[in-house]
Amino acid sequence: MVRIRVARPEEAAALTELVLRSKAHWGYGREFLERCAPELRIDAHEVGPRRVVVAEEGRSAPVGVASLEGDGARGTLGLLFVEPAAIGRGVGRALYRHAVARARELGMRRLVVDADPHAAGFYRALGAEESGGRNGLVRFEVELAPPAAWVGAWTGGRAAVHLGNVAEFNAQFGDASLDREQRAAHHYACLAAFYSPRPAALVLPRPVPAEWLDLLGRQLGWADVEVYDGLAGRGGPGLSAVVRGREALAERLTGLGLPLVPWGHTEEFARLAGLPWRAEALRYESKAEAHALFERIAAAGGHPGIVVPGQWRARTRWAAARLLAGRARAGQDTVLKSEHGVGGSGTTVVTARDVREAGGARAVLRRLPRGPLLVEEYVAGPGPDGVRDLTYDGFVDGSGRVHEVGVALMDVAGTGYRGATTGPGVVPSWAEKPMLAFGEAVGRELAAAGHRGWFDVDFVADGAGGLAPTEANLRLTGPSVAFMAGARLDEVRGGTHLVRVIDRVELGARLPGAQLAELFEATAYGCAELGAVFLPAIPTAAFARAPWIGVVVAARTPEALDAAADLVRSKARAVGEGLRE
């Protein structure tokens, strides 16, 4: 492990020698080094004013040195050198990220780096943006925007314990459209890595590859994340109950004094975390209850552009058939929904033509999962700019205050969620303002009902630019992963990132663990070459019978983001094709 500490004046001479050895590593001759020596020297009286720090590994002598110089809004990374024998072990990355964090603490808004050409690739990979050069050096600049207000409020600015209880959350609703064995839910529990910007521990139902977390740690600047995986068996108790049943583990997780963050709240999680439990607090996870809430808020006024679609509860299949048949005769398309389906499960669009071609409404319904149905008016779109599926994310803190996180553009095929994109300019202004206002209003109602934690409100844009709220989710979601990853990348890399969650990337062949790790490393390298970041989000599904992975990509421009997404898919296809040959 690399540890950063403040340098001492009496170390100045030894640190100067380290700097010169590091510079010489790139093949520079004695004469050149002698000319550079005055600029590279660290004098004892300068150690404090130049904010010199050193990197250590264990109790060894310093293996790296860096300085952060300047005052006001603009700082300079004056030095960053690593002992040649320690290059490649993460020392330079640790020093750089320490300098970025310290500069932000000091109120600096821009950090300038004049880098040796041999180190240019290192700074590019860490997110610094090239801005020219002078005297044979390559100049980089790093924007240091303050974090969004919600970041500090979510977990109090601290690391957190993340509990991947996706299956446990889904099971409490018993929705007929959900997989009874919760196979997919256990894979999606890997998203626990992104339940906050900085995990201290992950608790997971299935075993995960160690290489997966190592790559995430390097990309996101995590250190010493504890992992407790393989805790849930098929058909067994929920993850929170398993943890509670292991006394030493429960004491360890709750004794860290850090927030416990689940995918969603359950009675068992409340017992584990020592929180009050009210099942009523989740009432608006129901699509029918959420719809009624949307109607009340819209009827109260103040939300122009929000159009709530009609919805009717069909208590029997006969009642659903009559409603569907009547709408089809009128030439109207319909959305059929189960009460608590997730990610598009249990939601089906049925056109008037579908009903005719199937031979009637009853024939259509026989193809759907059993259980009560909601019959909803279909909203024809897309809206302006081709925008169709959108979402608002926010959360309610422990005191009942609503915090706005932001809005995202979702990728939905039919009714199935495939991913989301967040970042500046992703959602057009005509949609952003009404979404933020309506999402805030929903959040206040959720808080009044007792909900504490993350929530979202999904919208569909119609052809006239209206926004139809379609459901609320009282838990973490795919878009929330993008917000968390973006917040962390902004912190450790500077600037502001566009982030895209790709829910499923098909592999075409099951991969051995070693080959999956190679795929991840090669993809991360390729994305870095494009100026993007690759974060594997769901690795365990690569070992499923029909293998796939979930991923996150991030970049600062739409072009780089699209290129990275294309690269991820092409790498996945190539591996599958290679195994079949």
Side-chain angles (χ1 to χ4, degrees):
M1 176 184 173
V2 179
R3 184 175 70 92
I4 310 296
R5 65 165 174 82
V6 174
R8 297 185 289 269
E10 60 268 24
E11 296 176 298
L15 295 178
T16 297
E17 291 300 317
L18 187 159
V19 169
L20 292 172
R21 284 194 300 273
S22 182
K23 188 76 172 179
H25 172 74
W26 300 110
Y28 294 115
R30 180 183 300 176
E31 291 184 5
F32 178 83
L33 292 173
E34 288 177 352
R35 289 198 302 271
C36 293
E39 295 182 15
L40 300 178
R41 182 180 298 115
I42 302 173
D43 293 327
H45 69 277
E46 296 178 325
V47 168
R50 295 179 70 182
R51 304 186 188 93
V52 179
V53 297
V54 299
E56 294 178 327
E57 293 179 318
R59 296 185 177 181
S60 65
V63 291
V65 60
S67 67
L68 174 62
E69 303 172 27
D71 293 296
R74 183 183 173 95
T76 300
L77 185 65
L79 302 169
L80 197 160
F81 291 91
V82 176
E83 191 72 64
I87 291 174
R89 299 208 296 255
V91 176
R93 187 184 301 113
L95 285 166
Y96 175 81
R97 287 175 173 161
H98 180 275
V100 169
R102 182 66 178 132
R104 188 178 278 108
E105 289 173 0
L106 292 170
M108 296 176 180
R109 291 294 169 258
R110 189 166 294 275
L111 183 65
V112 177
V113 183
D114 287 320
D116 185 293
H118 293 96
F122 167 81
Y123 289 108
R124 289 191 194 99
L126 291 176
E129 296 188 308
E130 192 170 339
S131 62
R134 66 180 185 87
N135 299 330
L137 301 176
V138 182
R139 171 156 289 190
F140 291 90
E141 296 194 25
V142 184
E143 181 186 354
L144 302 174
W150 70 267
V151 176
W154 174 234
T155 57
R158 298 180 291 165
V161 176
H162 300 178
L163 190 79
N165 67 338
V166 180
E168 172 188 305
F169 180 83
N170 292 346
Q172 67 187 329
F173 303 109
D175 195 281
S177 70
L178 297 173
D179 173 14
R180 290 185 180 181
E181 294 185 15
Q182 294 286 310
R183 290 186 295 266
H186 287 317
H187 292 315
Y188 280 102
C190 294
L191 297 177
F194 306 94
Y195 287 4
S196 80
R198 188 161 55 97
L202 304 182
V203 186
L204 300 166
R206 293 282 182 259
V208 295
E211 298 86 354
W212 168 63
L213 192 64
D214 179 64
L215 175 58
L216 292 183
R218 283 185 277 122
Q219 299 281 56
L220 296 170
W222 295 339
D224 298 327
V225 179
E226 298 177 18
V227 180
Y228 305 94
D229 59 349
L231 297 182
R234 295 187 183 278
L239 194 61
S240 297
V242 171
V243 173
R244 288 183 63 236
R246 301 189 181 193
E247 186 175 343
L249 177 57
E251 289 181 357
R252 170 62 182 167
L253 296 176
T254 57
L256 289 171
L258 298 173
L260 269 67
V261 182
W263 176 257
H265 287 273
T266 67
E267 186 172 5
E268 282 291 348
F269 173 78
R271 291 174 180 171
L272 173 65
L275 298 172
W277 170 248
R278 287 178 55 199
E280 178 67 10
L282 292 176
R283 64 178 291 192
Y284 295 115
E285 182 73 21
S286 155
K287 291 179 175 60
E289 292 287 352
H291 183 270
L293 173 62
F294 299 156
E295 287 188 318
R296 291 198 301 273
I297 294 173
H303 295 283
I306 300 296
V307 182
V308 182
Q311 187 188 89
W312 306 269
R313 184 191 291 271
R315 300 192 179 279
T316 67
R317 284 300 167 108
W318 172 239
R322 283 188 299 170
L323 285 167
L324 180 58
R327 290 183 57 79
R329 285 194 297 272
Q332 297 172 326
D333 298 337
T334 302
V335 182
L336 300 176
K337 294 181 175 180
S338 64
E339 188 84 3
H340 293 97
V342 297
S345 66
T347 300
T348 305
V349 176
V350 181
T351 67
R353 181 177 178 177
D354 291 335
V355 175
R356 291 195 303 272
E357 292 181 349
R362 289 190 181 184
V364 171
L365 296 179
R366 278 196 291 269
R367 304 171 186 170
L368 304 182
R370 303 302 300 173
L373 285 173
L374 303 172
V375 179
E376 188 171 289
E377 174 187 358
Y378 176 75
V379 178
D385 309 319
V387 169
R388 174 65 173 169
D389 296 280
L390 301 149
T391 189
Y392 163 98
D393 277 48
F395 64 89
V396 182
D397 66 21
S399 67
R401 180 185 173 192
V402 180
H403 296 264
E404 170 192 300
V405 174
V407 293
L409 179 65
M410 293 196 294
D411 179 9
V412 176
T415 59
Y417 169 82
R418 300 197 304 186
T421 303
T422 64
V426 167
V427 174
S429 58
W430 64 263
E432 183 175 13
K433 291 181 180 179
M435 286 173 65
L436 292 174
F438 194 80
E440 170 79 15
V442 171
R444 289 195 297 269
E445 294 292 333
L446 298 181
H451 176 65
R452 299 293 182 267
W454 203 274
F455 72 94
D456 74 11
V457 182
D458 293 343
F459 297 84
V460 174
D462 65 25
L467 292 168
T470 57
E471 65 179 57
N473 295 294
L474 277 60
R475 52 179 168 80
L476 290 163
T477 61
S480 69
V481 167
F483 285 112
M484 300 293 184
R488 183 59 177 173
L489 289 168
D490 291 351
E491 180 181 357
V492 299
R493 290 167 56 88
T496 304
H497 289 77
L498 299 164
V499 182
R500 179 170 298 161
V501 175
I502 307 175
D503 195 54
R504 291 174 71 105
V505 177
E506 306 296 337
L507 291 176
R510 297 173 73 176
L511 297 180
Q515 195 157 1
L516 181 66
E518 290 175 6
L519 171 63
F520 287 167
E521 291 291 345
T523 306
Y525 179 82
C527 285
E529 291 286 293
L530 297 170
V533 179
F534 168 72
L535 303 170
I538 302 176
T540 57
F543 311 118
R545 183 169 299 174
W548 55 277
I549 56 174
V551 308
V552 176
V553 291
R556 293 206 182 92
T557 67
E559 295 77 15
L561 189 70
D562 290 340
D566 290 341
L567 177 68
V568 168
R569 293 189 178 96
S570 67
K571 289 279 189 183
R573 283 195 303 270
V575 169
E577 291 167 359
L579 288 178
R580 289 194 297 271
E581 291 177 354

